[in-house]
Amino acid sequence: MFDISKVSQEVEFHAVEYMFPHYFLLPMLSAMSSYRIRPLTPETCLFEIWSLVLRPEGEVYDTPKAPTILPHDSPDFPEIPRQDYSNLPLQQLGLHAGEFDFMRLSKVNEGMISNYQRLIDGYLADLDADLLAKGAQVVNAGFEGPIADIGF
């Protein structure tokens, strides 16, 4: 393993890296988690979690052959996803409550949500491919960013 302390001081590090439209990494210096969210309906999705580790050269290991499908409330999930998923049913109830008209985002820290939604709208509107590619470059700029001009 390389000198973790030295690299931590010398190389800019982002705790979350998003890639439009549905993929993100939680990188660490010796391992990372990979998440891919694949919508099925307006209310359901497949949420894939992959644990990625560095292995010594020549180490023998079994490669997973197929995903393990678990319900959102499965005790087999690691602790952090299990905590995150436990909130989903209540969030969905709140979003569908009769008095919920809109959601307000922080223009400083939650801009990525707005940027992503506008890029998705651009794809749905069948905007020019070059314009969409430039917008995707802005959107993939990282976590907790401000609302940005994505070109449309």
Side-chain angles (χ1 to χ4, degrees), residues 22-26 33-37 47-49 81 85:
H22 63 290
Y23 183 80
F24 66 97
L25 295 170
L26 301 171
S33 295
S34 166
Y35 289 51
R36 182 169 69 161
I37 303 95
F47 196 109
E48 299 177 49
I49 303 173
Y85 300 160

Side-chain angles (χ1 to χ4, degrees), residues 37-152:
I37 303 95
R38 297 187 299 165
L40 300 173
T41 73
E43 300 295 328
T44 64
C45 70
L46 290 177
F47 196 109
E48 299 177 49
I49 303 173
W50 293 82
S51 177
L52 308 169
V53 298
L54 296 173
R55 297 193 179 270
E57 284 188 39
E59 179 182 298
V60 178
Y61 59 92
D62 289 331
T63 300
K65 303 294 185 224
T68 302
I69 306 293
L70 301 171
H72 79 277
D73 56 355
S74 172
D76 294 329
F77 278 114
E79 183 178 359
I80 293 173
R82 194 169 56 242
Q83 290 172 357
D84 292 344
Y85 300 160
S86 70
N87 296 323
L88 292 175
L90 291 174
Q91 290 176 3
Q92 286 301 99
L93 286 173
L95 289 170
H96 292 288
E99 299 299 317
F100 187 81
D101 294 325
F102 63 91
M103 185 182 319
R104 183 178 303 151
L105 300 172
S106 163
K107 64 181 178 181
V108 176
N109 292 319
E110 295 178 320
M112 184 188 71
I113 298 168
S114 172
N115 300 338
Y116 259 58
Q117 292 302 313
R118 286 180 288 125
L119 184 56
I120 290 168
D121 289 345
Y123 275 94
L124 293 174
D126 200 26
L127 296 181
D128 177 70
D130 289 337
L131 191 60
L132 292 168
K134 289 176 184 174
Q137 290 173 357
V138 173
V139 166
N140 287 332
F143 182 63
E144 292 186 348
I147 293 175
D149 178 0
I150 63 170
F152 50 88

